[in-house]
Amino acid sequence: TSVGYGDIFPVRWEEYLLCTMLMLLGGVCWAYVIGAGCSVISGMNPTEVLFEQRMDTLNAMAEEQRFSHPLRYKLREFVRESRHHQDFERSKELMQLYSPSVKASIATEMTRSWADLVYP
């Protein structure tokens, strides 16, 4: 355990209070470390975070407006399907930043897997 093996234990009420406070402090510190780690991991993919925020906003709006369940389903499907289009549009915007030679290198790399199947 993170507290000890029991070979040293409190005897007086002041010691019990100190031990309790230290255990609570240790638990809070451990929770903070785990929370910070989860926060870093969850923020590693900004595209996924943006999609989840949009879906959360849609769900909140549907709940507030009391949309029917079939309509909620259609809206969620639309957001899911439009995700790929939005990813493509972001890629196009990013490609505009590069020089023609870099764009050619990227296009070659992106098409290499299927081009190798056609022209082995």
Side-chain angles (χ1 to χ4, degrees), residues 101-120:
S101 63
V102 173
K103 287 179 186 178
S105 298
I106 291 171
T108 302
E109 196 65 34
M110 289 174 66
T111 58
R112 182 181 312 278
S113 61
W114 62 265
D116 288 342
L117 294 173
V118 176
Y119 305 105

Side-chain angles (χ1 to χ4, degrees), residues 31-46 48-49:
Y32 177 78
V33 168
I34 296 295
C38 289
S39 175
V40 167
I41 291 170
S42 70
M44 291 176 90
N45 187 348
E48 184 71 24
V49 170

Side-chain angles (χ1 to χ4, degrees), residues 1 4 6 11 13 20 29 37 39-40 48 54 56-57 61 65 69 82 85 87 89-90 103 110 112 115 119:
T1 66
V11 177
W13 72 270
T20 302
C29 290
S39 175
V40 167
E48 184 71 24
R54 282 188 180 143
D56 289 342
T57 303
M61 180 191 71
Q65 301 299 322
H69 288 286
S82 67
H85 176 71
D87 290 345
E89 291 297 321
R90 272 192 295 279
K103 287 179 186 178
M110 289 174 66
R112 182 181 312 278
Y119 305 105

